[in-house]
Amino acid sequence: MKITEENYHEHYAFGSGDVFNWLKGYRFFLDGRAGEKTRAMVKGSLAHCLLLEPQAFEERYVVCSLKSTKSKAYGDLVTQNPDKEVVLESDLDEARLLVAPFKDSPALIQAEKEKMLLCDHSGFKLKGKLDAVLDNMLFDFKTTTSIDAFSYKTALYGYHVQAYHYKLLYSKVSGISIEDLKFYFLISEKGSGYSKIVELDDVAYSVAQEQHAAALNNAYRVMKERNLSQEKLLCMKRETVDAYDSKSVATVSLPRGYINQHNMDMEGAESE
């Protein structure tokens, strides 16, 4: 099965989010895509589209002059546009503010956008969708409520595992050594217009590599015990989801306590 724009989310390969959820366990993997889109998620996707896929804006969004998403008029617009996301003018203004620092970046202008990757690794199919790629540089756009807290957000949401996952995939597909790849987070802070380019340090990548391997080991163990394939896991995941109604680059690591806990977990596993 070839991975395409149309079937990317339906492909049974594990994305970086799936891998991070496997680190926490089987139930987390099954529940990983459950839940409705929040307003914050809608705004983040809108900013992402403006920065990386501006040509797709009109086919994906309808902009209205209403002041709230709670009104009957807004609900009527949603009903009238089943194949599009209805956003407020204020949402669009916020999104434009978020992407403004990076919009005219020469690297992003030249980069290949929304590059989909699929490869085999340790007996699994893995997939990824890179925001942008230029030579040996990989870019990922993030919005956040606090750039100063990005280290903690990285640990909480598994951004370090995502970065390692994407570097691993691109290394396999491109033939470029993983050590020679650079991964940059392009971060915009909501409300302030403050932005930053960030890369993770070697400690964060060391933790990510170990956690990525541990997550796939968890998946292998469950699949073997239950005689499941990746395709069957995707079917089970769907059933679970259906049950639910020109800057300088800063370097950040993971929180020290998080790293210490990870090292203790690894030492405990080795002693068993």
Side-chain angles (χ1 to χ4, degrees), residues 164-201:
Y164 174 77
H165 183 86
Y166 285 176
K167 287 178 73 173
L168 174 68
L169 264 65
Y170 194 66
S171 175
K172 285 179 171 289
V173 170
S174 69
I176 301 174
S177 166
I178 195 169
E179 292 80 15
D180 292 331
L181 291 173
K182 292 287 188 180
F183 191 98
Y184 299 111
F185 289 107
L186 311 179
I187 314 170
S188 273
E189 189 173 86
K190 298 172 184 176
S192 70
Y194 180 40
S195 64
K196 204 171 191 178
I197 300 176
V198 163
E199 63 178 344
L200 301 178
D201 68 5

Side-chain angles (χ1 to χ4, degrees), residues 98-148:
L98 288 169
V99 305
F102 305 113
K103 187 171 177 291
D104 298 319
S105 163
L108 275 188
I109 291 172
Q110 298 176 55
E112 181 179 357
K113 315 295 194 307
E114 298 294 302
K115 185 173 182 62
M116 288 172 289
L117 305 173
L118 178 68
C119 74
D120 296 302
H121 176 70
S122 297
F124 294 94
K125 287 284 188 185
L126 301 181
K127 66 181 178 181
K129 191 175 184 181
L130 292 169
D131 282 354
V133 183
L134 179 63
D135 300 326
N136 70 328
M137 297 181 293
L138 316 180
F139 302 94
D140 190 77
F141 177 62
K142 300 286 187 198
T143 60
T144 183
T145 53
S146 173
I147 285 181
D148 292 337

Side-chain angles (χ1 to χ4, degrees), residues 13 15 19 24-25 35 45 50 52-53 69 82 89 99 107 117 125 156 173 177 216 243 246 270:
V19 173
K24 295 176 280 187
S45 296
L50 288 178
L52 300 167
E53 301 177 281
T69 60
E89 285 183 348
V99 305
L117 305 173
K125 287 284 188 185
L156 179 63
V173 170
S177 166
L216 293 183
S246 54
E270 290 174 358

Side-chain angles (χ1 to χ4, degrees), residues 18 20 34 53 55 87 98 112 122-123 152 201 215 264:
D18 295 321
F20 189 60
E53 301 177 281
Q55 73 284 354
V87 296
L98 288 169
E112 181 179 357
S122 297
Y152 295 93
D201 68 5
M264 291 172 61

Side-chain angles (χ1 to χ4, degrees), residues 14 39 46 49 55 59 98 136-137 159 169 219 226 235 272:
F14 292 157
R39 289 303 299 164
L46 176 58
C49 181
Q55 73 284 354
E59 69 182 59
L98 288 169
N136 70 328
M137 297 181 293
Y159 294 158
L169 264 65
R226 299 171 183 254
C235 293
E272 290 179 359

